[in-house]
Amino acid sequence: MRFFMAEVVLDPRAVKGLSRLADDLDAVGQRCAAARVSRWLQPLGNAGPAAELRILTFRLAKADGWDAIGRAIEAISPSAAAEPVTVEALWSAYERLPGAAAAAAAWRQLAERAGGAGGLALAAECVGLGALPTDAAIAAWNARPESDRRALGILALRHAPGLRPLAEAALAGSVAGPDGSVLDSMRSAGMVAVDIGARGLPLGDVPLLPAVATVVGIDADEAAMARLDAAYRAVAGWHDLRPVAAAVGERTERRQLYLTRQPGLASLLPPDPETANLLGLGDAIAVTGTLPVETVPLDAVLRPLGLPHPSHVKLDTQGTELEILRGAEPLVRDQLLSVQVEAEFRPIYRGQALFGDIDRFLVDRGFEAVLLRRSLRRLGTGDREVPSRLELCWCHALYMRSLRDFLARRPDWPAIVRYCTVAMAYRLSDRALLLLGHPAVASAHPAAHSFAEGLRALARQWPDVGGSQGREISKDGW
């Protein structure tokens, strides 16, 4: 470093060289390294606007708290404060650091620094709503003009996954239902949803569920569960979050947790190197160590919480999904309304069940597959100059109890609301309305008609649903 700084002082050509190096590093995604090079130039007065942004985004990415974020914002120019890269870096910090009130203060500081440019005032307000108690935040959200409400929802959707439950709650709270609002009806149904493998954002793909249900997030990583609790418990929109550190399996037993280079790929099953390398996952799934753990069945995790039986379970546990479902057989057979599960089409882990095994298990217990989100990759031939189709590797599948099976159980009104809530969370309004319009439901439950009208009004406010809105059929091409 001293050598480079001396060169900068003695030879102006070194300034150009270092600036070019920073640009090259930035272009290939090495932003931290680019920021370090830019910091060498700054004390000598050679850091231009691009270098200032690199330094700022580096500081925001490395900050360990909102005090450090505030100091970084205080040191930047107004023009840098309004840059999109600055805003994106602060959104990333918002998802990473706990402290809703401190986050709101940082956003207001950035908006003031930028003079209100770049839509920062609305972003600051969005984050500020997240720091309020939920009911107050919903009321303030819905008090805004319709255009502002839509803009707030887009901000949450694009930039702040932690605020998406608030956006969903505000939308459902603005629509009349049989018990006040649709939100009130859904909350009063006593729904419990479980996310097993919840390292990041529990049920992040379906934020309506965290807005109305008690969400139990389970993962073997104790530190991840502590971060989850700190990050989202105080954020408006989350109805009731219960993080639990546990390793869930088919039975109580001692096992080894295989730690991997990419933490999210850790599993109770050893990786299959041949398949992993074929799919280009060899480095990410390489085992870095093992950790002895005691697995317990799902019921043993939930029982101490004193909650009603869950209606929805999401599983993303790197190959042990069927083990967990088998260990929760009575719950799957008698209580669950829906299951979202990650399933592989080829064995990335040794001894794991594949999609066909999981599908048969659930179908035999009254479920049907209704959504499939596929992940496809090229095979690891190393010959990327030759064009090739991508191949199936794994998927996330949603199973719901079939309407025939559900109705045969003569469900009460809260169970019907919970079923409709899951359907609406996944934007399956047809399924919810078919249930509410069934003669057995409509004749036994007078609230079914007004609830259906509320769900129709709610669905009309959704943006385009996966490109299929208004279409009767869709199919993939070969």
Side-chain angles (χ1 to χ4, degrees):
M1 183 175 183
R2 290 193 189 96
F3 170 76
F4 277 128
M5 293 179 71
E7 285 295 311
V8 170
V9 172
L10 296 174
D11 189 346
R13 291 176 298 178
V15 176
K16 294 183 179 179
L18 286 176
S19 297
R20 191 177 301 113
L21 174 61
D23 290 338
D24 291 343
L25 289 168
D26 198 38
V28 297
Q30 298 292 325
R31 293 183 175 86
C32 288
R36 289 191 180 99
V37 173
S38 297
R39 291 177 75 181
W40 299 345
L41 299 171
Q42 191 179 38
L44 302 170
N46 292 312
E52 182 186 16
L53 286 174
R54 290 194 190 101
I55 295 165
L56 171 63
T57 54
F58 177 76
R59 291 182 68 182
L60 295 180
K62 295 299 182 182
D64 58 1
W66 289 106
D67 288 342
I69 296 283
R71 291 192 296 271
I73 294 172
E74 186 63 32
I76 62 175
S77 64
S79 59
E83 286 289 336
V85 66
T86 304
V87 177
E88 287 296 331
L90 194 56
W91 279 122
S92 297
Y94 178 71
E95 289 302 307
R96 179 172 54 86
L97 298 174
W107 276 97
R108 288 193 296 271
Q109 181 186 6
L110 185 68
E112 292 169 2
R113 192 74 176 162
L120 282 170
L122 189 65
E125 182 175 355
C126 187
V127 175
L129 290 173
L132 297 175
T134 292
D135 289 343
I138 292 172
W141 186 299
N142 285 329
R144 298 297 303 266
E146 182 180 350
S147 59
D148 284 0
R149 295 199 303 269
R150 182 171 293 276
L152 287 169
I154 290 172
L155 274 177
L157 179 66
R158 292 180 177 174
H159 302 290
L163 288 174
R164 290 174 192 167
L166 174 58
E168 291 281 298
L171 188 59
S174 69
V175 177
D179 301 311
S181 69
V182 167
L183 178 67
D184 295 327
S185 298
M186 290 178 172
R187 282 180 172 177
S188 65
M191 184 168 181
V192 175
V194 178
D195 188 337
I196 308 174
R199 291 183 57 86
L201 186 68
L203 302 175
D205 294 336
V206 281
L208 179 60
L209 295 185
V212 301
T214 294
V215 174
V216 182
I218 305 173
D219 197 275
D221 188 334
E222 293 186 14
M225 292 299 94
R227 289 194 298 271
L228 194 65
D229 188 51
Y232 298 115
R233 184 175 288 276
V235 177
W238 289 76
H239 183 57
D240 185 10
L241 177 62
R242 310 281 187 95
V244 178
V248 185
E250 186 171 356
R251 62 183 69 88
T252 300
E253 60 182 340
R254 298 290 293 177
R255 294 179 67 172
Q256 294 293 320
L257 178 66
Y258 293 86
L259 306 176
T260 52
R261 188 163 293 149
Q262 183 175 315
L265 297 177
S267 175
L268 292 168
L269 300 174
D272 184 323
E274 182 177 352
T275 304
N277 287 329
L278 182 67
L279 300 177
L281 297 171
D283 289 340
I285 209 170
V287 174
T288 59
T290 59
L291 181 69
V293 296
E294 183 176 89
T295 62
V296 291
L298 179 58
D299 181 63
V301 178
L302 298 178
R303 195 182 307 116
L305 301 179
L307 298 170
H309 291 297
S311 300
H312 176 75
V313 168
K314 175 194 168 194
L315 301 108
D316 186 351
T317 57
Q318 308 307 310
T320 62
E321 290 82 2
L322 185 55
E323 291 183 33
I324 294 170
L325 290 171
R326 284 174 174 159
E329 167 77 29
L331 175 68
V332 176
R333 185 186 62 239
D334 302 327
Q335 304 294 337
L336 285 182
L337 304 179
S338 54
V339 177
Q340 180 185 324
V341 58
E342 183 185 55
E344 277 76 25
F345 293 100
R346 57 190 86 201
I348 298 174
Y349 300 91
R350 289 174 176 163
Q352 75 169 109
L354 298 180
F355 173 81
D357 307 309
I358 297 171
D359 179 76
R360 176 49 52 197
F361 179 87
L362 290 171
V363 169
D364 285 348
R365 285 152 185 82
F367 292 85
E368 56 190 4
V370 295
L371 290 175
L372 194 70
R373 192 177 70 202
R374 304 170 303 153
S375 291
L376 304 95
R377 300 176 73 94
R378 287 199 64 170
L379 301 186
T381 64
D383 195 349
R384 289 295 182 260
E385 295 182 1
V386 178
S388 175
R389 293 286 299 273
L390 306 179
E391 296 193 17
L392 280 173
C393 297
W394 61 85
C395 70
H396 289 264
L398 174 68
Y399 289 80
M400 292 196 70
R401 194 167 293 284
S402 72
L403 288 172
R404 177 182 297 178
D405 185 276
F406 181 65
L407 288 167
R409 297 166 184 262
R410 300 183 182 277
D412 59 13
W413 178 245
I416 291 170
V417 173
R418 292 194 295 270
Y419 191 100
C420 291
T421 299
V422 174
M424 296 299 285
Y426 284 92
R427 302 314 198 228
L428 299 169
S429 51
D430 282 349
R431 181 171 288 262
L433 295 174
L434 274 173
L435 174 60
L436 293 171
H438 191 279
V441 173
S443 61
H445 303 285
H449 176 74
S450 60
F451 191 48
E453 287 303 305
L455 297 189
R456 288 188 179 94
L458 180 62
R460 290 189 186 105
Q461 297 187 55
W462 291 339
D464 183 59
V465 182
S468 64
Q469 194 166 2
R471 295 167 60 184
E472 294 295 326
I473 62 171
S474 177
K475 61 181 180 180
D476 291 336
W478 285 107

